[in-house]
């Protein structure tokens, strides 16, 4: 039985860890809004523990599959949809590191948590860059790729790079600020930001072209439209965390005086948030279309609804710290409730999907 | 869905909430006897500072204890700043805080610990903490902000820089005299403004 599970344990399972991990941050941010919501900090801690259990439970078969069934892994890597889900597990390392940085001090104290976050950071970075290169190589050399293969799951590799600076800047804040390791975090974060940002633009235009000039994907890919919210939302998270990191370094990071550009950073963050907000309505329009034509089947792909929405919620919560606080705090509470409800629905849907036996059906 | 599947799904969904309640209770019982004391409050000692239409006061606790769930407790330096707008116009503040112990390495405030102890500090001082990093203060209104620093071993003196104004920094000096922390001096110092 265990061998069958390992054989069929696709790369997409990291998306479930991602969709659960980000809720610990949305809960933590919501707990800060007002005193009556303080208890959400402990719900966030509960999500952090659940994420840890899921992360370990999924990482074992995910890793074993590389050694026990390398042919299955190769098939998945070449698949125009499934291949892009490989970075979800390294992203989970980065999210586990971020959760440990924010909520870990409640359990282990600051010193242990900040060191553990660094380990997660480097493991995540290695995984993300490795799969990033691997997937680009496969895309470039695969001559069978067609216009109608482009889909929003292609955003996952750029998103994986964009999420590196989120933890990178969290680590630059407070504990590691001013240490030799800080410059390492800074350089890696800036490189990853550059890679993620430009890949997001390139890939985004390709997928956009498919939606305009080709046919729209089948209904089982409908949830992947939601992934479009994530890149700009994550950039907002990075920018606000970057402001905090700059403050921790007293306005100047590595000889560059950033204090003077705070207003520009805040405006940029608000503009990027606006794009994600616009995309949320685009998702509603397109998913409504799929539901109308009765093409929105139950599947594991529903997890694509969770993390991008949660990333958008986190971006809203962080934006509330420096731009129009009353508006964004209200939006944060509303989005956190929506993200929570979505997660509950997706958990039930996943169990129903597993009950149907779909996990063991060939998916290539 | 089969009953077994519903039960599994329900268990997964409830885990964060149930464990959250358990951890909240553990925390409540684990720290009830700890926390710390605010040994000084410039609001009552008339030692605050008025500058550019803002009156700045602060409460100080040199030994606020915070206990992680599975690790022993540690002491933190906790300041609560009280900013009152004495001008006729709204003002926007975005202060930042730096702790400088010997041998002059600069540390920022730990926002996470501030967040965890927020409710206890609010109860102790009867205030509501402002969580934004920048905030508007209406004429006559007061905003309170909790700032927590990790406390090094064998600390005998330190200063903290409070960056509120564009041109100068408020520096607060503290030293230990006969086992008691004393606010030795306060000054406004010119900021260095480089070209970077």
């Amino acid at each position: 039985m265990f061998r069958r599970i390992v054989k069929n344990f696709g790369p997409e399972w990291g998306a479930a860890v991602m969709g659960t991990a980000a809720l610990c941050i949305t809960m933590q941010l919501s707990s800060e809004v007002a005193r009556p919501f303080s208890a959400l900090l402990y719900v966030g801690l509960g999500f952090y523990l659940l994420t840890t259990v899921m992360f370990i439970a999924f990482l074992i078969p995910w890793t074993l599959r590389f050694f026990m069934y390398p042919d299955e892994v190769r098939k998945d890597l070449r698949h125009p949809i499934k291949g892009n889900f490989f970075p979800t597990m390294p992203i989970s390392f980065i999210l586990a590191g971020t959760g440990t940085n924010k909520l870990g001090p409640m359990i282990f104290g600051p010193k242990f948590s900040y060191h553990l976050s660094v380990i997660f950071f480097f493991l995540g970075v290695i995984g993300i860059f490795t799969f990033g290169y691997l997937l680009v190589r496969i895309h470039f050399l695969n001559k069978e790729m067609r216009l109608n293969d482009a889909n929003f799951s292609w955003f996952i590799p750029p998103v994986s790079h964009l999420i590196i600076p989120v933890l990178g800047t969290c680590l630059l804040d407070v504990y590691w600020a001013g240490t030799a390791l800080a410059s390492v975090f800074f350089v890696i974060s800036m490189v990853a930001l550059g890679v993620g940002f430009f890949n997001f633009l390139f890939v985004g235009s390709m997928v956009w072209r498919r939606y305009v000039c080709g046919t729209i994907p089948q209904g089982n890919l409908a949830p992947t439209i939601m992934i479009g919210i994530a890149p700009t939302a994550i950039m907002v998270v990075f920018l606000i965390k970057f402001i905090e990191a700059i403050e921790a370094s007293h306005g100047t990071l590595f000889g560059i005086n950033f204090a003077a550009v705070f207003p520009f950073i805040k405006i940029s963050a608000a503009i990027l948030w606006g794009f994600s907000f616009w995309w949320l309505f685009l998702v509603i329009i397109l998913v409504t279309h799929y539901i109308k034509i009765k093409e929105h089947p139950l599947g594991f792909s529903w997890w694509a609804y969770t993390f991008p929405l949660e990333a958008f919620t986190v971006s809203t919560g962080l934006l509330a710290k420096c731009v129009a606080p009353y508006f964004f705090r209200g939006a944060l509470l509303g989005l956190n409730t929506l993200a929570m409800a979505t997660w509950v629905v997706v958990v039930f849907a996943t169990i129903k999907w597993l009950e149907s036996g779909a996990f063991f059906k060939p998916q290539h | 869905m089969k009953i077994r599947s519903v039960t599994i799904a329900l268990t997964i969904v409830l885990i964060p909430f149930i464990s959250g309640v358990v951890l909240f209770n553990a925390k409540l019982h684990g720290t009830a006897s700890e926390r710390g004391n605010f040994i000084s409050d410039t609001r009552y000692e008339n030692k605050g500072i008025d500058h550019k239409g803002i009156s700045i006061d602060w409460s100080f606790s040199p030994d606020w204890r915070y206990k992680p769930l599975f690790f022993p407790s540690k002491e933190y330096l906790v300041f609560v700043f009280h900013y009152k707008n004495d001008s006729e116009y709204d003002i926007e503040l975005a202060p930042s805080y730096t702790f400088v112990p010997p041998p002059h390495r600069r540390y920022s405030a730990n926002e996470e610990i501030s967040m965890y102890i927020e409710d206890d500090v609010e109860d102790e001082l009867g205030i509501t903490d402002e969580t934004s990093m920048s905030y508007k203060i209406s004429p006559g209104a007061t905003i309170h902000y909790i700032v927590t620093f990790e406390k090094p071993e064998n600390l005998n003196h330190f200063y903290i820089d409070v960056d509120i104004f564009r041109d100068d920094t408020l520096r607060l000096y503290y030293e230990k005299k006969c086992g008691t922390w004393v606010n030795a001096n306060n000054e406004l110092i010119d900021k260095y403004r480089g070209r970077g």
Side-chain angles (χ1 to χ4, degrees), chain A residues 28 32 35 38 42 46 102 105-110 114 174 177 244 248 250 257 321-322 329 351 355, chain B residues 2 5 20 27 68-71 76 98 105 108-110 112 115-116 119 122-123 130-133 196:
Chain A
Q28 177 244 303
E32 290 186 73
R35 189 68 180 265
S38 293
Y42 291 87
K102 295 284 125 195
M106 284 180 84
I107 303 173
F108 317 113
Y114 297 149
V174 191
E244 291 179 356
H250 325 294
N257 183 359
K321 289 191 172 193
C322 57
R329 279 179 197 161
I351 301 295
E355 187 188 276
Chain B
K2 292 175 188 164
S5 301
K27 187 80 202 148
L69 284 158
F70 306 126
F71 276 62
Y76 294 87
T98 311
R105 195 189 144 189
S108 299
N110 190 317
E112 278 80 41
M115 179 175 65
Y116 308 152
D119 288 357
E122 286 181 343
D123 289 345
E130 176 61 47
T131 52
S132 302
M133 63 172 90

CSV table of all heavy atoms in Angstrom, one decimal, chain A residues 28 32 35 38 42 46 102 105-110 114 174 177 244 248 250 257 321-322 329 351 355, chain B residues 2 5 20 27 68-71 76 98 105 108-110 112 115-116 119 122-123 130-133 196:
chain,number,residue,atom,x,y,z
A,28,GLN,N,-2.5,35.3,12.3
A,28,GLN,CA,-1.6,36.2,13.1
A,28,GLN,C,-1.9,37.6,12.8
A,28,GLN,O,-2.0,38.4,13.7
A,28,GLN,CB,-0.2,35.8,12.9
A,28,GLN,CG,0.8,36.6,13.7
A,28,GLN,CD,1.7,37.4,12.7
A,28,GLN,OE1,2.4,36.9,11.9
A,28,GLN,NE2,1.7,38.7,12.9
A,32,GLU,N,-4.0,40.9,15.2
A,32,GLU,CA,-3.5,42.2,15.6
A,32,GLU,C,-4.5,43.4,15.4
A,32,GLU,O,-4.2,44.5,15.8
A,32,GLU,CB,-2.2,42.5,14.8
A,32,GLU,CG,-1.0,41.7,15.2
A,32,GLU,CD,0.2,42.1,14.5
A,32,GLU,OE1,0.8,43.1,14.8
A,32,GLU,OE2,0.6,41.4,13.5
A,35,ARG,N,-8.5,43.9,19.9
A,35,ARG,CA,-8.5,43.0,21.1
A,35,ARG,C,-9.4,41.8,20.9
A,35,ARG,O,-9.0,40.7,21.2
A,35,ARG,CB,-8.8,43.8,22.3
A,35,ARG,CG,-8.6,43.1,23.6
A,35,ARG,CD,-7.2,42.9,23.9
A,35,ARG,NE,-6.9,42.2,25.1
A,35,ARG,CZ,-6.7,42.8,26.3
A,35,ARG,NH1,-6.6,44.1,26.3
A,35,ARG,NH2,-6.5,42.1,27.4
A,38,SER,N,-7.7,38.8,19.3
A,38,SER,CA,-6.4,38.3,19.8
A,38,SER,C,-6.3,36.8,19.8
A,38,SER,O,-5.2,36.3,19.6
A,38,SER,CB,-6.2,38.8,21.3
A,38,SER,OG,-6.1,40.2,21.3
A,42,TYR,N,-3.7,32.2,18.5
A,42,TYR,CA,-3.6,30.8,18.9
A,42,TYR,C,-4.1,29.9,17.8
A,42,TYR,O,-3.7,28.8,17.7
A,42,TYR,CB,-4.2,30.6,20.3
A,42,TYR,CG,-3.3,31.3,21.3
A,42,TYR,CD1,-3.5,32.7,21.6
A,42,TYR,CD2,-2.3,30.7,21.9
A,42,TYR,CE1,-2.7,33.3,22.5
A,42,TYR,CE2,-1.5,31.3,22.8
A,42,TYR,CZ,-1.7,32.6,23.1
A,42,TYR,OH,-0.9,33.3,24.0
A,46,GLY,N,-2.2,27.0,15.9
A,46,GLY,CA,-2.8,25.7,15.6
A,46,GLY,C,-2.6,25.3,14.1
A,46,GLY,O,-2.2,24.2,13.8
A,102,LYS,N,7.6,33.9,12.5
A,102,LYS,CA,6.5,34.7,13.1
A,102,LYS,C,5.9,34.1,14.3
A,102,LYS,O,5.7,34.8,15.3
A,102,LYS,CB,5.4,34.9,12.1
A,102,LYS,CG,5.8,35.7,10.8
A,102,LYS,CD,5.9,37.2,11.1
A,102,LYS,CE,7.2,37.7,10.7
A,102,LYS,NZ,7.6,39.0,11.2
A,105,PRO,N,8.7,31.8,17.9
A,105,PRO,CA,9.1,32.3,19.2
A,105,PRO,C,8.1,32.0,20.3
A,105,PRO,O,8.4,31.9,21.5
A,105,PRO,CB,9.2,33.8,19.0
A,105,PRO,CG,9.5,33.9,17.5
A,105,PRO,CD,8.8,32.8,16.8
A,106,MET,N,6.8,31.8,19.9
A,106,MET,CA,5.8,31.5,21.0
A,106,MET,C,6.0,30.1,21.5
A,106,MET,O,5.6,29.8,22.6
A,106,MET,CB,4.4,31.5,20.4
A,106,MET,CG,3.8,32.9,20.2
A,106,MET,SD,2.2,32.8,19.5
A,106,MET,CE,1.2,32.6,20.9
A,107,ILE,N,6.6,29.2,20.7
A,107,ILE,CA,6.8,27.8,21.1
A,107,ILE,C,8.2,27.6,21.6
A,107,ILE,O,8.5,27.1,22.7
A,107,ILE,CB,6.5,26.9,20.0
A,107,ILE,CG1,5.1,27.1,19.5
A,107,ILE,CG2,6.7,25.4,20.4
A,107,ILE,CD1,4.7,26.3,18.2
A,108,PHE,N,9.2,28.0,20.7
A,108,PHE,CA,10.6,27.7,21.0
A,108,PHE,C,11.4,28.9,21.6
A,108,PHE,O,12.6,28.7,21.9
A,108,PHE,CB,11.3,27.3,19.8
A,108,PHE,CG,10.5,26.3,18.9
A,108,PHE,CD1,10.1,26.7,17.6
A,108,PHE,CD2,10.3,25.0,19.3
A,108,PHE,CE1,9.4,25.8,16.8
A,108,PHE,CE2,9.6,24.2,18.5
A,108,PHE,CZ,9.1,24.6,17.2
A,109,GLY,N,10.8,30.1,21.6
A,109,GLY,CA,11.6,31.3,22.0
A,109,GLY,C,12.3,31.8,20.7
A,109,GLY,O,12.4,31.1,19.7
A,110,PRO,N,12.7,33.1,20.7
A,110,PRO,CA,13.2,33.7,19.5
A,110,PRO,C,14.5,33.1,18.9
A,110,PRO,O,14.5,32.8,17.7
A,110,PRO,CB,13.5,35.2,20.0
A,110,PRO,CG,12.8,35.3,21.3
A,110,PRO,CD,12.7,34.0,21.9
A,114,TYR,N,14.6,31.7,15.1
A,114,TYR,CA,15.3,32.4,14.1
A,114,TYR,C,16.4,31.6,13.4
A,114,TYR,O,16.7,31.7,12.2
A,114,TYR,CB,15.9,33.7,14.6
A,114,TYR,CG,14.8,34.7,15.1
A,114,TYR,CD1,15.1,35.6,16.2
A,114,TYR,CD2,13.5,34.7,14.6
A,114,TYR,CE1,14.1,36.4,16.7
A,114,TYR,CE2,12.6,35.6,15.0
A,114,TYR,CZ,12.8,36.4,16.1
A,114,TYR,OH,11.9,37.3,16.6
A,174,VAL,N,15.4,42.5,12.6
A,174,VAL,CA,15.8,42.2,14.0
A,174,VAL,C,17.0,41.3,14.3
A,174,VAL,O,18.1,41.9,14.4
A,174,VAL,CB,14.6,41.6,14.8
A,174,VAL,CG1,14.9,41.7,16.3
A,174,VAL,CG2,13.3,42.4,14.6
A,177,ALA,N,19.9,41.3,11.5
A,177,ALA,CA,20.2,42.6,11.0
A,177,ALA,C,21.6,43.0,11.5
A,177,ALA,O,21.9,42.8,12.6
A,177,ALA,CB,19.2,43.7,11.5
A,244,GLU,N,10.3,47.0,6.8
A,244,GLU,CA,10.6,46.6,8.2
A,244,GLU,C,12.1,46.3,8.3
A,244,GLU,O,12.8,46.6,9.3
A,244,GLU,CB,9.7,45.5,8.6
A,244,GLU,CG,8.3,45.9,8.8
A,244,GLU,CD,7.3,44.8,9.2
A,244,GLU,OE1,7.8,43.7,9.3
A,244,GLU,OE2,6.2,45.1,9.4
A,248,ALA,N,15.0,48.0,10.5
A,248,ALA,CA,15.8,47.3,11.4
A,248,ALA,C,17.3,47.6,11.1
A,248,ALA,O,18.1,47.4,12.0
A,248,ALA,CB,15.6,45.8,11.2
A,250,HIS,N,18.2,50.6,10.2
A,250,HIS,CA,18.3,52.0,10.5
A,250,HIS,C,18.3,52.8,9.2
A,250,HIS,O,19.1,53.8,9.1
A,250,HIS,CB,19.5,52.3,11.4
A,250,HIS,CG,19.7,51.3,12.4
A,250,HIS,ND1,18.8,51.0,13.4
A,250,HIS,CD2,20.7,50.3,12.5
A,250,HIS,CE1,19.2,50.0,14.1
A,250,HIS,NE2,20.3,49.5,13.6
A,257,ASN,N,20.8,54.1,0.9
A,257,ASN,CA,19.8,54.8,1.8
A,257,ASN,C,18.4,54.6,1.3
A,257,ASN,O,18.0,55.3,0.4
A,257,ASN,CB,20.2,56.3,2.0
A,257,ASN,CG,19.3,56.9,3.0
A,257,ASN,OD1,18.4,56.3,3.6
A,257,ASN,ND2,19.5,58.2,3.2
A,321,LYS,N,-0.7,48.1,7.7
A,321,LYS,CA,0.2,48.6,8.7
A,321,LYS,C,0.8,50.0,8.3
A,321,LYS,O,1.3,50.7,9.1
A,321,LYS,CB,1.4,47.6,8.9
A,321,LYS,CG,1.0,46.4,9.6
A,321,LYS,CD,2.2,45.6,10.0
A,321,LYS,CE,1.8,44.5,10.9
A,321,LYS,NZ,3.0,43.8,11.6
A,322,CYS,N,0.7,50.3,7.0
A,322,CYS,CA,1.2,51.6,6.6
A,322,CYS,C,0.4,52.4,5.6
A,322,CYS,O,0.7,53.5,5.3
A,322,CYS,CB,2.6,51.4,6.0
A,322,CYS,SG,2.8,50.3,4.6
A,329,ARG,N,-7.7,47.1,7.2
A,329,ARG,CA,-8.0,46.2,8.3
A,329,ARG,C,-9.4,45.5,8.2
A,329,ARG,O,-9.5,44.3,8.4
A,329,ARG,CB,-8.0,46.9,9.7
A,329,ARG,CG,-6.6,47.2,10.2
A,329,ARG,CD,-6.7,47.9,11.5
A,329,ARG,NE,-5.4,48.5,11.8
A,329,ARG,CZ,-5.2,49.5,12.6
A,329,ARG,NH1,-6.2,50.1,13.2
A,329,ARG,NH2,-4.0,50.0,12.9
A,351,ILE,N,-10.9,15.2,0.6
A,351,ILE,CA,-11.3,13.9,1.2
A,351,ILE,C,-12.3,13.2,0.3
A,351,ILE,O,-12.2,12.0,0.1
A,351,ILE,CB,-11.9,14.1,2.7
A,351,ILE,CG1,-10.8,14.8,3.6
A,351,ILE,CG2,-12.3,12.8,3.3
A,351,ILE,CD1,-9.5,14.1,3.8
A,355,GLU,N,-11.7,9.7,-1.5
A,355,GLU,CA,-12.7,8.7,-1.4
A,355,GLU,C,-13.1,8.1,-2.7
A,355,GLU,O,-13.3,6.9,-2.8
A,355,GLU,CB,-14.0,9.3,-0.7
A,355,GLU,CG,-15.0,8.3,-0.3
A,355,GLU,CD,-16.3,9.1,0.2
A,355,GLU,OE1,-16.3,9.5,1.3
A,355,GLU,OE2,-17.2,9.3,-0.7
B,2,LYS,N,-19.0,9.5,2.6
B,2,LYS,CA,-19.2,8.5,3.7
B,2,LYS,C,-19.0,9.1,5.0
B,2,LYS,O,-18.2,10.1,5.1
B,2,LYS,CB,-18.3,7.3,3.5
B,2,LYS,CG,-18.5,6.5,2.2
B,2,LYS,CD,-17.4,5.4,2.1
B,2,LYS,CE,-17.6,4.7,0.8
B,2,LYS,NZ,-16.4,3.9,0.4
B,5,SER,N,-15.4,9.5,5.9
B,5,SER,CA,-14.7,10.6,5.2
B,5,SER,C,-15.1,12.0,5.9
B,5,SER,O,-14.2,12.8,6.1
B,5,SER,CB,-15.1,10.7,3.7
B,5,SER,OG,-14.7,9.5,3.1
B,20,GLY,N,-5.5,25.3,19.1
B,20,GLY,CA,-5.4,26.7,19.5
B,20,GLY,C,-5.9,26.9,20.9
B,20,GLY,O,-5.3,27.6,21.7
B,27,LYS,N,-0.9,28.5,27.8
B,27,LYS,CA,-0.2,29.8,27.9
B,27,LYS,C,-0.7,30.6,29.1
B,27,LYS,O,0.0,31.2,29.9
B,27,LYS,CB,-0.4,30.6,26.6
B,27,LYS,CG,0.3,31.8,26.5
B,27,LYS,CD,1.7,31.5,26.0
B,27,LYS,CE,2.6,32.7,26.4
B,27,LYS,NZ,4.0,32.3,26.7
B,68,PRO,N,8.0,31.1,26.3
B,68,PRO,CA,7.6,30.3,25.2
B,68,PRO,C,6.9,29.0,25.7
B,68,PRO,O,7.3,28.6,26.8
B,68,PRO,CB,8.8,30.0,24.4
B,68,PRO,CG,9.8,31.0,24.8
B,68,PRO,CD,9.5,31.3,26.3
B,69,LEU,N,6.1,28.4,24.9
B,69,LEU,CA,5.4,27.2,25.5
B,69,LEU,C,6.3,26.1,26.0
B,69,LEU,O,6.0,25.5,27.0
B,69,LEU,CB,4.4,26.7,24.4
B,69,LEU,CG,3.2,27.5,24.2
B,69,LEU,CD1,2.6,27.3,22.8
B,69,LEU,CD2,2.1,27.3,25.2
B,70,PHE,N,7.3,25.8,25.2
B,70,PHE,CA,8.1,24.7,25.6
B,70,PHE,C,9.6,25.0,26.0
B,70,PHE,O,10.4,24.2,26.0
B,70,PHE,CB,8.2,23.6,24.4
B,70,PHE,CG,6.8,23.2,24.0
B,70,PHE,CD1,6.4,23.3,22.6
B,70,PHE,CD2,5.9,22.8,24.9
B,70,PHE,CE1,5.2,23.0,22.2
B,70,PHE,CE2,4.6,22.4,24.5
B,70,PHE,CZ,4.2,22.5,23.1
B,71,PHE,N,9.8,26.3,26.2
B,71,PHE,CA,11.2,26.7,26.6
B,71,PHE,C,11.1,27.6,27.9
B,71,PHE,O,10.0,28.2,28.2
B,71,PHE,CB,11.8,27.5,25.5
B,71,PHE,CG,12.5,26.6,24.5
B,71,PHE,CD1,11.7,25.7,23.7
B,71,PHE,CD2,13.8,26.7,24.2
B,71,PHE,CE1,12.3,24.9,22.7
B,71,PHE,CE2,14.5,25.9,23.3
B,71,PHE,CZ,13.7,25.0,22.5
B,76,TYR,N,12.7,40.6,29.0
B,76,TYR,CA,12.8,41.6,27.9
B,76,TYR,C,12.7,43.0,28.4
B,76,TYR,O,12.1,43.2,29.5
B,76,TYR,CB,11.7,41.3,26.9
B,76,TYR,CG,11.8,40.0,26.2
B,76,TYR,CD1,11.3,38.9,26.7
B,76,TYR,CD2,12.5,39.9,25.0
B,76,TYR,CE1,11.4,37.6,26.1
B,76,TYR,CE2,12.6,38.7,24.3
B,76,TYR,CZ,12.1,37.6,24.9
B,76,TYR,OH,12.3,36.4,24.3
B,98,THR,N,15.6,51.9,18.1
B,98,THR,CA,16.8,51.1,18.1
B,98,THR,C,17.4,51.0,19.6
B,98,THR,O,17.4,52.0,20.3
B,98,THR,CB,17.9,51.8,17.3
B,98,THR,OG1,17.3,52.2,16.0
B,98,THR,CG2,19.1,51.0,17.0
B,105,ARG,N,26.6,47.7,19.5
B,105,ARG,CA,25.9,47.1,18.4
B,105,ARG,C,24.4,47.5,18.4
B,105,ARG,O,23.8,47.6,19.5
B,105,ARG,CB,26.0,45.6,18.4
B,105,ARG,CG,25.6,45.0,17.1
B,105,ARG,CD,25.4,43.5,17.1
B,105,ARG,NE,24.3,43.2,16.2
B,105,ARG,CZ,23.8,42.0,16.0
B,105,ARG,NH1,24.2,41.0,16.7
B,105,ARG,NH2,22.8,41.8,15.2
B,108,SER,N,17.2,46.2,16.6
B,108,SER,CA,15.8,46.8,16.4
B,108,SER,C,14.9,46.1,17.4
B,108,SER,O,15.2,45.1,18.0
B,108,SER,CB,15.4,46.4,15.0
B,108,SER,OG,16.2,47.0,14.1
B,109,ALA,N,13.7,46.7,17.4
B,109,ALA,CA,12.7,46.2,18.3
B,109,ALA,C,12.2,44.8,17.8
B,109,ALA,O,12.1,44.6,16.6
B,109,ALA,CB,11.5,47.1,18.4
B,110,ASN,N,11.8,43.9,18.7
B,110,ASN,CA,11.2,42.6,18.3
B,110,ASN,C,9.7,42.7,18.2
B,110,ASN,O,9.0,42.6,19.3
B,110,ASN,CB,11.7,41.5,19.3
B,110,ASN,CG,11.4,40.2,18.7
B,110,ASN,OD1,10.3,39.9,18.2
B,110,ASN,ND2,12.4,39.3,18.8
B,112,GLU,N,7.6,40.6,17.1
B,112,GLU,CA,6.9,39.4,17.4
B,112,GLU,C,6.6,39.3,18.9
B,112,GLU,O,5.4,39.0,19.3
B,112,GLU,CB,7.7,38.1,17.0
B,112,GLU,CG,7.5,37.7,15.6
B,112,GLU,CD,8.4,38.6,14.6
B,112,GLU,OE1,9.5,38.9,15.0
B,112,GLU,OE2,7.9,39.0,13.6
B,115,MET,N,3.9,41.6,20.0
B,115,MET,CA,2.6,41.1,19.6
B,115,MET,C,2.1,40.1,20.7
B,115,MET,O,1.0,40.1,21.1
B,115,MET,CB,2.7,40.4,18.2
B,115,MET,CG,1.4,39.8,17.7
B,115,MET,SD,1.7,39.2,16.0
B,115,MET,CE,2.9,37.9,16.3
B,116,TYR,N,3.0,39.2,21.1
B,116,TYR,CA,2.6,38.1,22.1
B,116,TYR,C,2.2,38.7,23.4
B,116,TYR,O,1.4,38.2,24.1
B,116,TYR,CB,3.7,37.1,22.3
B,116,TYR,CG,4.3,36.5,21.0
B,116,TYR,CD1,5.6,36.0,21.0
B,116,TYR,CD2,3.5,36.4,19.9
B,116,TYR,CE1,6.1,35.4,19.9
B,116,TYR,CE2,4.1,35.8,18.7
B,116,TYR,CZ,5.3,35.3,18.7
B,116,TYR,OH,5.9,34.8,17.6
B,119,ASP,N,-1.5,42.0,24.9
B,119,ASP,CA,-2.7,42.0,25.8
B,119,ASP,C,-2.4,42.3,27.3
B,119,ASP,O,-3.0,43.1,28.0
B,119,ASP,CB,-3.5,40.7,25.7
B,119,ASP,CG,-4.2,40.6,24.3
B,119,ASP,OD1,-4.1,41.6,23.6
B,119,ASP,OD2,-4.9,39.6,24.1
B,122,GLU,N,-1.3,45.9,27.7
B,122,GLU,CA,-2.5,46.8,27.7
B,122,GLU,C,-3.2,46.7,29.0
B,122,GLU,O,-3.7,47.8,29.5
B,122,GLU,CB,-3.4,46.3,26.5
B,122,GLU,CG,-2.8,46.7,25.1
B,122,GLU,CD,-3.7,46.3,24.0
B,122,GLU,OE1,-4.6,45.4,24.2
B,122,GLU,OE2,-3.6,46.8,22.9
B,123,ASP,N,-3.4,45.5,29.5
B,123,ASP,CA,-4.1,45.4,30.8
B,123,ASP,C,-3.4,46.1,31.9
B,123,ASP,O,-4.0,46.8,32.8
B,123,ASP,CB,-4.3,43.9,31.2
B,123,ASP,CG,-5.3,43.2,30.3
B,123,ASP,OD1,-6.0,44.0,29.6
B,123,ASP,OD2,-5.3,42.0,30.2
B,130,GLU,N,-1.3,50.6,19.4
B,130,GLU,CA,-1.4,50.9,18.0
B,130,GLU,C,-0.5,49.9,17.3
B,130,GLU,O,0.6,49.8,17.5
B,130,GLU,CB,-1.0,52.3,17.7
B,130,GLU,CG,-1.1,52.7,16.2
B,130,GLU,CD,-2.4,52.6,15.6
B,130,GLU,OE1,-3.4,53.1,16.2
B,130,GLU,OE2,-2.5,52.0,14.6
B,131,THR,N,-1.1,49.1,16.3
B,131,THR,CA,-0.3,48.1,15.7
B,131,THR,C,0.3,48.6,14.4
B,131,THR,O,1.2,47.9,13.9
B,131,THR,CB,-1.2,46.8,15.4
B,131,THR,OG1,-2.3,47.2,14.7
B,131,THR,CG2,-1.5,46.1,16.7
B,132,SER,N,-0.2,49.6,13.8
B,132,SER,CA,0.3,50.1,12.5
B,132,SER,C,1.8,50.6,12.7
B,132,SER,O,2.1,51.1,13.7
B,132,SER,CB,-0.5,51.2,11.9
B,132,SER,OG,-1.8,50.8,11.7
B,133,MET,N,2.6,50.5,11.6
B,133,MET,CA,3.9,51.1,11.7
B,133,MET,C,3.8,52.6,11.4
B,133,MET,O,4.7,53.4,11.8
B,133,MET,CB,4.9,50.4,10.7
B,133,MET,CG,4.6,50.5,9.3
B,133,MET,SD,5.9,49.9,8.3
B,133,MET,CE,5.4,48.2,8.1
B,196,GLY,N,23.9,58.4,0.3
B,196,GLY,CA,23.5,57.1,-0.2
B,196,GLY,C,22.1,57.0,-0.6
B,196,GLY,O,21.7,56.1,-1.3
